[in-house]
Amino acid sequence: MTARTTGADQAATRSPGAGARRRIPLVLCAAIAWLVFVVAHRVLSGRVWWWQVPELVPPLALAAVPVVLLVATLAARRARRAAAAVALASLALGGGASGLNPAALWHDAAPAPADAITVFSWNTWYWDQPVGRQMPPPTGTPAGDVAAFYRYLHAQDADVLLLQEYVYFGADSRPIRVNDLDRLRREFPGFHIAAASEMVTLSRFPIVLQRGLDPPPDGGRDTPVPPGSDWPGFYTVKTLRTDLRVGSGTVSFYNSHISSPVDPSAGGLDLFSLGRTQHAARQADLRALAADVEANPLPAVLAGDFNASPAMGILRLVPGRMADATPALRSLYPATWDDGWPWWRIDWAYTTPEVTVHEYRLVRSNGLSDHSGQRLVLSLSR
């Protein structure tokens, strides 16, 4: 007796295998989703304000995620080649913004000449305001804290110091002016000092020009100064330019602290404060800087806290004359934000072609700041 097989039975027999063949493998779905994110990031980052939350991803993820996906394809039964191809495409598109510094493996800097210039750039984290930071500066600041602050500065043995956050902050997140110039003159006798907004520059070389760069009225800012502020320059001037007489020539040093993507009145990392106003302020800061650099025929050095990781497209606005000094770093993954896990680099250094970088290293602040310092040894092309 022969059993009869109905069409329904045949469909039931075929359906598990057929359905499995029709389903897209999970690893391919993940690879496609990540590639879509990377493409969107390349297109939108730095251009639209509402992409600021995705920009906070640790930059290393742009290289690490595709690598993890490539490893996962080894265990895939189907669509292995397609998943690998998609993962490689996302690595090619996003790897350059991952913060990795492969040049550390082969870069060989030229020895510094005897007349080389040592530059130290550092975000001081509200100057010497004690730990806790979100408080008015007390009248009796512990002497040990201030002494440690100045010992750290002296230890850099720098010819030029580019210091940011020359400011205190009150409990209401209101910036408070610092007047520490007399102390700086005592601590650094013979140095020349320039200050603007919350940047201060100290130099062994004579200062022949100094000015804060204030974005023009059409610079794109959208009401950056809080109503009633008695210090509008704090919000608008985010770069201090000083031209220094070095030997028989003049070199421009740009000391920058680009506005944070987070509204400073939030008092911390508040994702709801990543708004259009801060994005416009950051663009205006960098456009003012770029306009000045492009009109400046002098050799130039630019360093400071840009509040921008390698993953943030706003770095496209860095002046075109400037070359990133990162290849001279010895670190494969340099990170400068010391607050918490060291996944982000937000401090940068750039030079024009007339300036040679012989040495570049990051100096941990040992708790004095939430930023590492940047120490460079430079010389002028002859």
Side-chain angles (χ1 to χ4, degrees):
M1 182 176 178
T2 304
R4 297 177 62 189
T5 303
T6 66
D9 293 334
Q10 293 174 346
T13 302
R14 291 195 307 266
S15 60
R21 285 192 294 273
R22 285 194 297 268
R23 288 196 296 269
I24 300 177
L26 181 60
V27 66
L28 180 56
C29 289
I32 291 172
W34 185 253
L35 178 60
V36 169
F37 169 80
V38 171
V39 171
H41 185 75
R42 287 289 301 266
V43 172
L44 300 174
S45 180
R47 294 189 173 98
V48 295
W49 68 268
W50 43 266
W51 193 256
Q52 291 180 102
V53 173
E55 285 182 330
L56 298 178
V57 64
L60 188 60
L62 293 169
V65 171
V67 171
V68 170
L69 289 170
L70 285 169
V71 173
T73 62
L74 299 177
R77 294 181 179 180
R78 294 174 295 108
R80 181 181 298 176
R81 290 184 178 179
V86 174
L88 286 171
S90 64
L91 180 61
L93 284 173
S98 67
L100 289 172
N101 178 33
L105 299 174
W106 62 75
H107 182 80
D108 188 17
D115 59 351
I117 304 167
T118 301
V119 179
F120 183 67
S121 173
W122 185 40
N123 180 322
T124 62
W125 199 23
Y126 311 154
W127 204 237
D128 59 4
Q129 191 170 357
V131 175
R133 307 292 173 165
Q134 293 296 322
M135 62 180 72
T139 55
T141 303
D145 292 349
V146 178
F149 174 80
Y150 281 101
R151 280 199 304 271
Y152 179 78
L153 293 180
H154 285 297
Q156 311 316 318
D157 192 25
D159 300 304
V160 180
L161 295 98
L162 309 175
L163 307 177
Q164 302 94 48
E165 289 197 3
Y166 178 57
V167 59
Y168 290 139
F169 268 87
D172 58 356
S173 296
R174 178 176 55 87
I176 302 170
R177 297 175 191 264
V178 175
N179 186 1
D180 216 14
L181 297 183
D182 289 340
R183 174 69 184 262
L184 285 170
R185 293 186 185 99
R186 292 196 304 270
E187 293 283 348
F188 294 91
F191 275 68
H192 306 266
I193 303 175
S197 183
E198 41 101 359
M199 285 76 63
V200 61
T201 296
L202 291 82
S203 169
R204 296 185 193 272
F205 308 105
I207 297 173
V208 298
L209 178 147
Q210 65 180 73
R211 68 165 178 262
L213 304 186
D214 199 341
D218 60 348
R221 282 188 178 271
D222 181 16
T223 60
V225 182
S229 172
D230 61 353
W231 191 8
F234 172 81
Y235 299 93
T236 60
V237 175
K238 290 302 177 182
T239 295
L240 167 61
R241 170 183 169 179
T242 52
D243 290 0
L244 309 181
R245 179 67 67 184
V246 180
S248 59
T250 303
V251 184
S252 294
F253 286 80
Y254 291 88
N255 178 0
S256 289
H257 186 193
I258 304 305
S259 296
S260 169
V262 179
D263 186 342
S265 65
L269 182 56
D270 180 356
L271 297 185
F272 294 102
S273 297
L274 296 169
R276 186 193 305 269
T277 298
Q278 288 303 113
H279 180 68
R282 287 156 61 73
Q283 289 183 319
D285 296 340
L286 285 166
R287 285 170 178 155
L289 170 63
D292 195 273
V293 171
E294 295 300 337
N296 182 1
L298 297 172
V301 177
L302 162 63
D305 173 9
F306 283 65
N307 275 305
S309 79
M312 294 185 178
I314 201 164
L315 289 176
R316 299 186 195 99
L317 297 179
V318 170
R321 285 183 63 209
M322 293 290 190
D324 185 0
T326 298
L329 282 170
R330 298 291 182 89
S331 173
L332 279 172
Y333 186 72
T336 64
W337 194 35
D338 290 350
D339 192 16
W341 294 98
W343 294 118
W344 287 268
R345 178 187 182 187
I346 56 179
D347 302 83
W348 298 86
Y350 300 85
T351 62
T352 54
E354 306 91 344
V355 179
T356 301
V357 180
H358 301 280
E359 180 185 327
Y360 183 15
R361 63 184 177 90
L362 304 179
V363 185
R364 298 303 176 196
S365 65
N366 301 320
L368 291 171
S369 172
D370 56 350
H371 290 249
S372 293
Q374 303 179 90
R375 189 177 188 275
L376 301 100
V377 179
L378 313 170
S379 67
L380 299 178
S381 301
R382 289 173 170 78

